[in-house]
Structures are given as structure tokens and as C-alpha cells.
């Protein structure tokens, strides 16, 4: 009898608690989404002390001609005009046939301000160049998971900070993802860029106040 009463009495409480937990979870999710959607510029950090390291250190990611480059912070110093990447994190919108890949967060960036146009940053699955494009152009490539490091300062792709800047032409530093961990040996050989300067870079989030 006592047990019966307790059981009945506990039902509304349990329901109330689980409802509250669900609401709390939703509210936490909304806060997390908002934090992920804070806009940032992407800045290169090169701690080495070669001339190339010093040249690339402090450059920021720009987008032009379907690719992501590291260029001068001041647009007037860029030899080729490019749009400064302004990025954030949001779930990549998988297609029905790619849902099972569970690639999680994508990294959209503005690629023009007027009109405001967003594209996804991705690593080309064959060449490992960082590129940008709409879903149709990006879905077959490495679109994520993008993330931040525990201190939320550095950018990761597939849980690694494996980015390399390659000087494809004089002063033109393109960004690559070292997916195989071989310092791009295969892809640079295929592109005939083995003799070009390259430097490992870390990519940091420079929050842009809105
Ligand atoms: C994606 O981009 C390509 C190339 O710019 C374009 O042809 C295509 O229409 C775009 N697709 C969508 C859905 O916007």
C-alpha cells in the first residue's frame, strides 16, 4: 500500500523533472548554437623563426577564385583583391545520402558582403586545398567536422590542427589540410609544387564584434 502511494505520487514529479530537463537541454543547445555562431576572422599563427614563418605569421584567411589564401590584414596591401573570410560554426546540411557520414559542424564563411553571400569552407578530397563553395560544390569533399580546441581559440578539422600554407606563386600563400600527415608530400608532388616554400600554420579565431 505504501509502495503503491509512493509510486503514484512520484509520477507527476518525474514527468515534471524530465520536462524541465528537456527545456534546460533546449536552452543549453540554443546558448551553444549562439556561441558557435559568433563570427570570426581566421588568423595564421606560425611560431617558427624562418623568413617564411615571419612572412605568414599574422596573415588572415581570404577567399578568392574558389580557394582560401593567407593574405595581408590590410586589403590595400593585397596584390590580388580578395574578400576577408568571416566565418562561424553551424551544422553542415548533409544530403539524405551523406547523413550517415555525421560530419557535424561545418565552417561557413561570408564570401561577399553586398549581397551577403555564404559558402562552406572545405578541403578538396583529392588535393587537400582549402576551398569554398555551396553545398552542391562541397558535399563530396571534406566539409567537416570543423571544431575549436578546448580553449576555443584554435580551429580544427577532423579533430586536428593540420594546416599548411604553401606559397604557390610569389607572395600567394594558399591553405591546405595535411590530411595524411605527410606534410602534403603526395599532393604537392602531383601539383608540381614540391620545391615551393611551405609552412605549418595554426589557425586562430579572431572574434569580430558585431
Ligand atoms: C552552386 O554553385 C554553382 C557554381 O557557382 C552553381 O552553378 C549552382 O547553381 C549553385 N547551386 C546552388 C544550389 O546554389
Amino acid at each position: 500500500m505504501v509502495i503503491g502511494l509512493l509510486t503514484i505520487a512520484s509520477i507527476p514529479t518525474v514527468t515534471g523533472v524530465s520536462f524541465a530537463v528537456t527545456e534546460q537541454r533546449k536552452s543549453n543547445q540554443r546558448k551553444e548554437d549562439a556561441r558557435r555562431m559568433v563570427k570570426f576572422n581566421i588568423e595564421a599563427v606560425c611560431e617558427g623563426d624562418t623568413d617564411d614563418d615571419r612572412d605568414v605569421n599574422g596573415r588572415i584567411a581570404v577567399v578568392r577564385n574558389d580557394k582560401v589564401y593567407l593574405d595581408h590584414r590590410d586589403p590595400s596591401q593585397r596584390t590580388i583583391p580578395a574578400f576577408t573570410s568571416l566565418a562561424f560554426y553551424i551544422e553542415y546540411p548533409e544530403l539524405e545520402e551523406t547523413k550517415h557520414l555525421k560530419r557535424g559542424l561545418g565552417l561557413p564563411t561570408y564570401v561577399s558582403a553586398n549581397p551577403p553571400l555564404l559558402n562552406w569552407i572545405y578541403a578538396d578530397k583529392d588535393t587537400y586545398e582549402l576551398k569554398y563553395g555551396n553545398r552542391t560544390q562541397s558535399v563530396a569533399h571534406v566539409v567537416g567536422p570543423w571544431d575549436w580546441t578546448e580553449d576555443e581559440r584554435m580551429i580544427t578539422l577532423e579533430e586536428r590542427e593540420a594546416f599548411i600554407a604553401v606559397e604557390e606563386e610569389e607572395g600567394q600563400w594558399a591553405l591546405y589540410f595535411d590530411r595524411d600527415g605527410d606534410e602534403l608530400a603526395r599532393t604537392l608532388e602531383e601539383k608540381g609544387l614540391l620545391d615551393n616554400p611551405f609552412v605549418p600554420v595554426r589557425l586562430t579565431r579572431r572574434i569580430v564584434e558585431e
Side-chain angles (χ1 to χ4, degrees):
M1 187 60 196
V2 170
I3 290 168
L5 272 178
L6 274 178
T7 310
I8 290 163
S10 66
I11 287 168
T13 316
V14 168
T15 311
V17 166
S18 69
F19 180 73
V21 166
T22 307
E23 284 306 297
Q24 185 61 43
R25 218 174 263 152
K26 275 192 202 147
S27 145
N28 287 350
Q29 189 57 47
R30 274 193 295 271
K31 274 184 211 142
E32 176 65 11
D33 290 347
R35 268 157 43 75
R36 289 293 192 171
M37 287 182 71
V38 169
K39 314 280 186 299
F40 53 88
N41 294 142
I42 300 169
E43 186 178 306
V45 180
C46 290
E47 274 140 6
D49 60 359
T50 67
D51 287 347
D52 288 334
D53 288 314
R54 277 188 290 273
D55 183 8
V56 171
N57 189 39
R59 286 181 177 235
I60 56 174
V62 301
V63 290
R64 62 173 161 86
N65 204 10
D66 299 332
K67 270 168 66 93
V68 184
Y69 294 87
L70 292 173
D71 213 330
H72 294 284
R73 172 167 288 283
D74 174 2
S76 70
Q77 289 201 43
R78 298 177 191 159
T79 52
I80 305 175
F83 188 80
T84 303
S85 169
L86 182 63
F88 58 96
Y89 297 98
I90 201 168
E91 195 80 10
Y92 185 82
E94 296 287 2
L95 301 173
E96 205 49 57
E97 55 270 32
T98 57
K99 273 212 174 93
H100 66 284
L101 297 176
K102 294 197 171 40
R103 292 179 289 187
L105 291 174
L107 187 66
T109 179
Y110 284 91
V111 295
S112 84
N114 204 359
L117 189 61
L118 279 168
N119 269 180
W120 301 97
I121 297 182
Y122 63 90
D124 185 291
K125 67 178 168 46
D126 302 312
T127 64
Y128 300 163
E129 297 161 284
L130 290 199
K131 297 183 175 175
Y132 60 95
N134 59 28
R135 184 169 70 164
T136 311
Q137 293 162 308
S138 60
V139 70
H141 296 276
V142 186
V143 297
W146 292 90
D147 206 343
W148 55 38
T149 50
E150 207 170 331
D151 63 8
E152 303 184 6
R153 289 182 53 239
M154 314 307 287
I155 296 168
T156 64
L157 176 56
E158 294 187 327
E159 301 181 354
R160 285 183 303 139
E161 288 185 79
F163 302 101
I164 294 187
V166 178
E167 191 175 28
E168 294 182 338
E169 309 273 349
E170 180 74 32
Q172 308 303 323
W173 291 91
L175 265 178
Y176 285 70
F177 177 53
D178 184 12
R179 201 181 192 199
D180 299 335
D182 64 354
E183 296 196 314
L184 304 174
R186 177 189 59 81
T187 181
L188 293 184
E189 173 156 27
E190 283 172 8
K191 290 171 73 75
L193 296 174
L194 269 185
D195 293 330
N196 291 47
F198 70 92
V199 287
V201 292
R202 303 181 72 203
L203 300 176
T204 190
R205 301 166 64 235
R206 282 267 171 261
I207 306 293
V208 175
E209 307 293 342
E210 285 179 274

